[in-house]
Amino acid sequence: MVPGARPRCAAMGIMETENTEAAGSAELALRSFDELGLSEVVMQAVVDAGYTTPTPIQSEAIPLVLKGRDVMGLAQTGTGKTAAFTLPIIDRLLDGPRRTRALVLTPTRELCVQVEENVRRYASHTSLSVVCVYGGVPLDPQQKKLRAGADIVVATPGRLIDHLERQNVVFDDLEVLVLDEADRMLDMGFAPQINRVVSDIPSYRQTLLFSATMPPEVEALARKYLRKPVVVQVGRRSSAASTVTHAVYPVPRERKSALLASLLRESALDSVLVFTRTKHGADRVVRHLEREGINSTAMHADKTQPQRTRALQDFKNGKVRVLVATDIAQRGLDISGITHVVNYDVPQQAEDYVHRIGRTGRAANEGDAFTFMAPDEIAMVRQIERVIGQPIPRISVPGFDFGTVAAD
Ligand code: AMP
């Protein structure tokens, strides 16, 4: 057991580090990257990235992963969780045979590409190779890359099975398995695919599981695949990223697009991610904003993969100011520099609110999360407030607030 750790989830056979002693302690706050035990070549990449201090999840998880422990990280995107597992994995793979020795499973193509980019960046001073495989694009190029050999494979579960069945990749020498955004993978119905993939992996592996939330299904997955894991929890379960400033705008449904256009015209909303409930909703908002002369683009499941990649690229490099997305963009997307998230529709699940606003307030940058609340969404907002454990301030915009607009 880790020094200072106390068993908490005894029923699950899980050891949990005391969050209050760990993440919140002065000792940890002062920890530097030098103390985490990473090798020189990995540290060079950390310096290149411009990171000066490890984030709490990195301080806790990196030494444990280096020790070979199974780790269950309760952390949402924006906490630095990707580096928390990729840095020590790269470290671990520096010595030893050139075989596929690490696999990261991710729920979406976007996250898959993002994790691959991270691995590439952090492994830039090493000769380790990484291949990323996801669905919706031709198999052949991925097959070629896999057959050429990769130390680290990042994959979405369905497409990975296609490759396993074609024997484009074998996991006989796999040492580390990462289940990234496990809750999201289960939400998307990937449990059977995960089982299938894990059945090809030696059981003496190291397994790391990251999840923003801990519903019973994720606990069950952890019980099944992790051995005596240390649970590393950043912040309170379901707590919203603390640098995010929240606000709720009461507004009748039919006035939402006008309110959005008005906020975009009048305030310093530089790079805005807008979430709508439906694909049509997303397209409608984009049409409205375009009519108002505001540059925006939509991203949802009806768009082809090239269109989605393009939309994301244009948004990332600042060509478009507003990205309007359905839930496919909800988790795991690391778009640095987002200044605002707008919940055009109130998320149906309170937990989703936490994930969505995880897009902003990333790694301690200031960010704002605005939620447009129609009269029939008041109950859902109350539910969210209960889950995040704090009331969200209401902002009344004259001419829009249904509480102040005379009914006609
Ligand atoms: P993640 O939670 O892995 O999606 O990371 C969120 C963002 O934080 C990414 O843009 C990282 O580049 C950045 N980041 C990760 N670790 C650090 C660190 N120690 N210091 C500053 N930024 C970091």
Side-chain angles (χ1 to χ4, degrees):
M1 194 155 106
V2 188
R6 278 199 263 144
R8 271 220 330 230
C9 304
M12 291 173 62
I14 283 177
M15 303 300 175
E16 180 164 354
T17 56
E18 265 301 314
N19 191 39
T20 44
E21 290 171 8
S25 76
E27 186 203 338
L28 252 178
L30 293 175
R31 243 193 208 178
S32 77
F33 269 109
D34 296 332
E35 294 167 62
L36 301 183
L38 292 165
S39 355
E40 187 68 23
V41 282
V42 180
M43 281 305 296
Q44 275 172 22
V46 170
V47 173
D48 291 350
Y51 304 159
T52 49
T53 324
T55 65
I57 185 112
Q58 291 164 359
S59 292
E60 288 192 67
I62 291 174
L64 293 166
V65 179
L66 286 175
K67 269 189 218 149
R69 292 297 304 262
D70 280 7
V71 171
M72 183 156 150
L74 270 166
Q76 60 197 65
T77 310
T79 53
K81 71 176 168 69
T82 317
F85 66 81
T86 44
L87 292 172
I89 288 176
I90 291 166
D91 206 290
R92 173 176 178 156
L93 301 194
L94 288 174
D95 305 315
R98 304 306 300 273
R99 301 282 188 81
T100 299
R101 290 162 63 205
L103 167 68
V104 183
L105 281 182
T106 67
T108 62
R109 310 154 189 194
E110 284 79 13
L111 184 62
C112 192
V113 171
Q114 208 167 280
V115 171
E116 182 209 15
E117 281 170 3
N118 273 263
V119 172
R120 220 175 271 290
R121 180 149 65 120
Y122 301 138
S124 60
H125 296 283
T126 76
S127 57
L128 295 172
S129 58
V130 56
V131 168
C132 159
V133 298
Y134 49 82
V137 293
L139 271 163
D140 271 5
Q142 296 178 351
Q143 170 165 316
K144 282 204 188 76
K145 283 189 204 159
L146 284 174
R147 293 199 161 197
D151 298 286
I152 302 170
V153 171
V154 186
T156 52
R159 177 52 66 95
L160 182 61
I161 291 173
D162 290 344
H163 287 296
L164 282 172
E165 281 167 359
R166 287 173 168 76
Q167 298 197 315
N168 293 336
V169 62
V170 283
F171 291 144
D172 295 352
D173 299 300
L174 205 91
E175 294 174 20
V176 194
L177 166 68
V178 182
L179 302 169
D180 195 12
E181 310 226 338
D183 49 356
R184 181 71 166 155
M185 285 203 276
L186 294 182
D187 281 354
M188 293 171 75
F190 281 143
Q193 285 91 336
I194 295 173
N195 274 327
R196 162 72 185 85
V197 171
V198 176
S199 70
D200 265 29
I201 301 176
S203 57
Y204 46 83
R205 66 176 184 266
Q206 178 179 19
T207 310
L208 313 175
L209 180 151
F210 287 84
S211 191
T213 57
M214 252 303 261
E217 298 77 27
V218 175
E219 287 188 14
L221 194 75
R223 252 198 307 273
K224 193 164 166 191
Y225 294 135
L226 276 67
R227 265 189 304 190
K228 294 205 171 76
V230 182
V231 179
V232 173
Q233 186 168 354
V234 173
R236 221 167 51 80
R237 189 190 286 192
S238 296
S239 74
S242 59
T243 52
V244 174
T245 328
H246 312 237
V248 165
Y249 288 78
V251 57
R253 191 170 292 283
E254 67 279 6
R255 298 278 285 148
K256 283 188 175 185
S257 53
L259 174 63
L260 180 62
S262 154
L263 289 176
L264 286 166
R265 260 196 310 271
E266 282 159 31
S267 10
L269 307 176
D270 290 333
S271 175
V272 188
L273 183 53
V274 177
F275 286 109
T276 59
R277 199 166 44 78
T278 65
K279 296 176 260 189
H280 294 303
D283 289 334
R284 258 199 312 275
V285 172
V286 167
R287 278 200 301 275
H288 185 92
L289 293 180
E290 291 293 329
R291 273 202 303 276
E292 299 281 329
I294 298 163
N295 212 348
S296 64
T297 187
M299 188 162 115
H300 52 62
D302 278 359
K303 301 275 178 182
T304 62
Q305 184 55 27
Q307 283 173 326
R308 282 160 66 170
T309 311
R310 179 72 193 279
L312 201 57
Q313 241 165 23
D314 287 351
F315 184 58
K316 272 185 170 178
N317 62 27
K319 251 194 216 156
V320 297
R321 184 178 160 207
V322 185
L323 180 67
V324 186
T326 54
D327 278 351
I328 56 165
Q330 183 177 312
R331 292 194 204 182
L333 269 193
D334 173 22
I335 307 169
S336 46
I338 291 182
T339 57
H340 294 80
V341 165
V342 174
N343 291 310
Y344 190 89
D345 298 305
V346 176
Q348 304 279 301
Q349 302 287 329
E351 296 282 359
D352 286 342
Y353 180 84
V354 179
H355 294 301
R356 285 189 187 180
I357 62 165
R359 306 307 104 231
T360 181
R362 316 181 54 75
N365 288 323
E366 281 298 325
D368 290 292
F370 300 152
T371 299
F372 290 0
M373 177 183 71
D376 61 346
E377 292 173 314
I378 294 173
M380 268 187 298
V381 169
R382 295 221 172 99
Q383 176 61 21
I384 289 167
E385 292 176 319
R386 270 195 294 276
V387 169
I388 64 172
Q390 64 189 73
I392 309 173
R394 306 292 192 266
I395 295 184
S396 175
V397 181
F400 289 102
D401 186 341
F402 51 75
T404 59
V405 179
D408 47 24

